[in-house]
Amino acid sequence: MGLLSGKVAIVTGSGGGIGREEAIALAKEGAAVVVNDLGGTRDGSGASHNMADAVVEEIQKAGGTAVANYDSVATTAGGQGILKTALDAFGQVDVLVNNAGILRDKTLAKMTEAEWDIVVQVHLKGTFCVTQPVFNHMRERNQGGSIINTSSTSGLEGNFGQTNYGAAKAGIAGFTRCLALEGKKYNIRVNAIAPVALTRLTEDLGGFQDESLKTKMSPAHIAPLIVYLASDLSKDVTKKAFFVGGGKISEMRMVRTEGATKADGLWTPNEIANQIGTILG
Ligand SMILES: NC(=O)c1ccc[n+]([C@@H]2O[C@H](COP(=O)([O-])OP(=O)(O)OC[C@H]3O[C@@H](n4cnc5c(N)ncnc54)[C@H](O)[C@@H]3O)[C@@H](O)[C@H]2O)c1
């Protein structure tokens, strides 16, 4: 018996990179998996069936159960199509991993509206488009569920040249915290990860050409956390964000400092300046 025997999981963007490892690991633990991938390039252009088909074949060859879906996460029709593939093939969904993503890096000064729109659409709107129908299915089925969203240190800590991506990824973290509250009474857990791994999204970053780093930063290192969050091993864990990569797993928190209080609330700018050390904590 695997940790996920009898469960059904959807992994978006699982035709390559981190998502592929997640889909394979979920299937290895007995989940039937919907391998969704649009099959485009790293900047979101193009489409093909090859990427999703290859991962389905890999899972099936290893004795697992999987079906492909080629819809884009970035439209409501795509999100509904992904759920339909799961229901047609397996009749239920227990686990959703929102992983699909693209990059269009530019400094804000040089960013076009199109570069802003497509990144926000795939990541942030894509998370909404797939999660809403799946969440409603889980609610109606009343058997609980686990939703795992993919944020990023770019959104939670900041990264040069990624205002579009960072805004979308911080939005996904906020979406996660709010939906975790809405899911509580249905036993639907909602968590986020901020992964770091060498994939086609990060292959042009300095240092990643080093062979030992390639091993250390393998996308396979992300998958065990996903299996944990998908399974009943994490039954009390919700509304959390985890950093994961290079062998390390840690929690990423929003922090409100102790701060300073003025009884009448009427701070002067000079008083704020005098207290700024306490306010920043
Ligand atoms: N690699 C990292 O270090 C890192 C860091 C932080 C966050 N992430 C996030 O992890 C996730 C996976 O990234 P990765 O590094 O494996 O990159 P990747 O390019 O290998 O994987 C992303 C996958 O999403 C698919 N995809 C893109 N647009 C899609 C759409 N509209 N519909 C369906 N599928 C679509 C792509 O075809 C691709 O297979 C992304 O959300 C990314 O932002 C990665």
Side-chain angles (χ1 to χ4, degrees):
M1 273 279 283
L3 278 173
L4 300 168
S5 295
K7 302 217 179 201
V8 176
I10 294 170
V11 186
T12 70
S14 53
I18 294 169
R20 172 180 163 276
E21 298 286 353
E22 293 171 342
I24 290 170
L26 292 165
K28 224 177 238 168
E29 285 297 338
V33 180
V34 175
V35 176
N36 157 265
D37 208 291
L38 182 63
T41 60
R42 117 185 173 142
D43 74 0
S45 49
S48 87
H49 289 192
N50 301 348
M51 292 176 73
D53 286 346
V55 176
V56 167
E57 202 181 314
E58 207 177 336
I59 290 172
Q60 288 172 342
K61 269 196 180 141
T65 306
V67 65
N69 172 282
Y70 319 107
D71 287 318
S72 171
V73 299
T75 65
T76 51
Q80 285 156 7
I82 293 168
L83 174 63
K84 185 173 185 312
T85 296
L87 296 183
D88 288 351
F90 308 124
Q92 68 191 59
V93 181
D94 303 276
V95 176
L96 167 63
V97 184
N98 284 305
N99 163 80
I102 60 165
L103 280 182
R104 296 279 174 104
D105 291 357
K106 280 280 169 65
T107 57
L108 182 69
K110 295 185 184 142
M111 188 174 294
T112 64
E113 187 179 354
E115 286 162 344
W116 173 272
D117 282 347
I118 191 168
V119 169
V120 171
Q121 185 154 10
V122 171
H123 287 279
L124 185 55
K125 189 175 173 198
T127 298
F128 162 76
C129 289
V130 183
T131 304
Q132 191 182 47
V134 172
F135 182 83
N136 283 336
H137 160 74
M138 287 175 171
R139 225 168 50 119
E140 281 155 23
R141 189 169 158 245
N142 205 19
Q143 298 288 315
S146 176
I147 297 172
I148 303 145
N149 297 320
T150 307
S151 183
S152 168
T153 56
S154 299
L156 301 176
E157 294 176 338
N159 198 21
F160 186 93
Q162 293 195 319
T163 53
N164 51 357
Y165 180 76
K169 289 304 202 186
I172 288 171
F175 176 93
T176 301
R177 288 189 290 269
C178 294
L179 189 63
L181 296 174
E182 295 180 22
K184 248 186 182 154
K185 71 174 168 189
Y186 306 105
N187 195 24
I188 302 171
R189 299 181 295 107
V190 192
N191 293 288
I193 64 162
V196 179
L198 177 62
T199 65
R200 69 178 191 175
L201 275 195
T202 45
E203 67 194 351
D204 53 355
L205 297 183
F208 274 135
Q209 317 318 337
D210 181 329
E211 278 306 316
S212 67
L213 259 184
K214 259 190 181 169
T215 311
K216 189 169 179 228
M217 303 311 291
S218 164
H221 295 173
I222 313 303
L225 177 63
I226 294 296
V227 173
Y228 163 78
L229 289 172
S231 77
D232 294 340
L233 290 176
S234 61
K235 64 181 171 40
D236 298 323
V237 179
T238 191
K239 201 169 172 265
K240 302 289 186 201
F242 296 89
F243 170 88
V244 53
K248 182 186 271 296
I249 302 177
S250 56
E251 187 187 355
M252 300 193 75
R253 291 187 184 148
M254 288 290 282
V255 174
R256 196 190 298 189
T257 64
E258 195 55 41
T261 308
K262 193 172 178 205
D264 65 5
L266 296 170
W267 289 83
T268 68
N270 275 327
E271 285 169 341
I272 295 171
N274 289 337
Q275 291 285 322
I276 196 66
T278 314
I279 290 167
L280 294 178

